[in-house]
Amino acid sequence: MSPKQHRGEVTADLLLDAALRLFAEQGEQGLTVSAVTKASGVSLGSLYHHFGSLDGLFDALAQRWLSRLLGELVTALQATRTARTGIRAIVRTHLAFVREHRDAALLLHSARTDQRNMTQARELRDSQEARLSVFALWIQSHVDSGELAPLPPALIESLVLGPLIGFIRRWLSQVDDTELDLDEAARILPERIWRSVAADPK
């Protein structure tokens, strides 16, 4: 990597890190061009050079953290041997990610990210195709083995991730940190979710 390329990466990282802090502290309304340039110490011209627009910056930030989350999930999944242990790994790894990276989780589960994902679904799947295909192949292999119910992979994915994401969003939005507990969810959710997708949920 040339010195110029390195400087470019450092500048982009400063902008992305500042944008995440602002989003976590002030929500979407705090994520403005002037706020990002001020918080990062990077010029307006550099922001447009690297990301094209504030939307481009937001998309890059969401993609960065989605890629990291999916990477951790794939790594955890590949270390398992059965469908049941795979479900457990998905749930617990996702909850651990949320605990460790709460600011990023707020971004990934925000209304703005949902909206961008709906309008850019094809681009999103294309950009994460390698990781998403691992999940699809894992699901299909365990359907074929008879461990998972003979349902379409997209439906199984929804049955696994739907309750998990619902809990995470509730946890992120709670005012009182004692209302919902991540450790308790990590104990309870894997088995409950497993029963919803298992071919023989005993």
Side-chain angles (χ1 to χ4, degrees):
M1 180 186 298
S2 70
K4 183 177 180 180
Q5 289 172 317
H6 177 68
R7 287 194 301 272
E9 284 197 3
V10 169
T11 298
D13 285 344
L14 287 170
L15 289 163
L16 290 166
D17 291 344
L20 182 61
R21 285 196 308 274
L22 288 166
F23 189 90
E25 293 168 3
Q26 303 175 36
E28 184 179 342
Q29 67 274 11
L31 196 60
T32 64
V33 169
S34 60
V36 171
T37 54
K38 182 178 180 181
S40 65
V42 174
S43 70
L44 177 64
S46 290
L47 187 154
Y48 284 109
H49 170 73
H50 287 285
F51 300 106
S53 65
L54 188 62
D55 280 343
L57 173 64
F58 185 91
D59 290 345
L61 183 60
Q63 282 290 327
R64 165 191 266 196
W65 283 102
L66 177 61
S67 180
R68 183 165 177 174
L69 170 60
L70 290 176
E72 291 187 16
L73 291 172
V74 166
T75 298
L77 196 61
Q78 290 176 331
T80 66
R81 297 181 62 183
T82 68
R84 193 172 197 162
T85 57
I87 296 296
R88 185 183 305 137
I90 290 171
V91 174
R92 291 181 175 171
T93 300
H94 201 152
L95 292 174
F97 177 92
V98 169
R99 183 194 300 279
E100 185 176 354
H101 307 290
R102 189 177 189 278
D103 291 354
L106 281 168
L107 177 91
L108 290 176
H109 295 285
S110 68
R112 181 167 181 175
T113 299
D114 284 346
Q115 183 181 35
R116 301 294 288 177
N117 289 346
M118 289 290 287
T119 59
Q120 300 178 329
R122 183 179 296 277
E123 293 88 341
L124 175 65
R125 292 199 72 85
D126 288 347
S127 68
Q128 301 295 337
E129 182 178 3
R131 291 182 174 93
L132 292 174
S133 64
V134 170
F135 288 105
L137 290 170
W138 180 85
I139 289 171
Q140 191 60 57
S141 69
H142 289 292
V143 169
D144 293 344
S145 73
E147 290 179 89
L148 291 175
L151 301 169
L155 181 54
I156 292 179
E157 182 182 320
S158 296
L159 288 168
V160 172
L161 296 180
L164 179 58
I165 291 173
F167 170 82
I168 288 169
R169 290 184 173 183
R170 180 81 179 268
W171 182 81
L172 289 169
S173 66
Q174 68 182 343
V175 176
D176 181 356
D177 287 345
T178 63
E179 181 187 355
L180 294 171
D181 182 74
L182 285 177
D183 291 330
E184 184 179 25
R187 288 193 302 271
I188 295 171
L189 283 178
E191 186 63 21
R192 297 288 181 171
I193 291 174
W194 162 250
R195 291 178 190 174
S196 72
V197 297
D200 183 12
K202 291 182 180 178

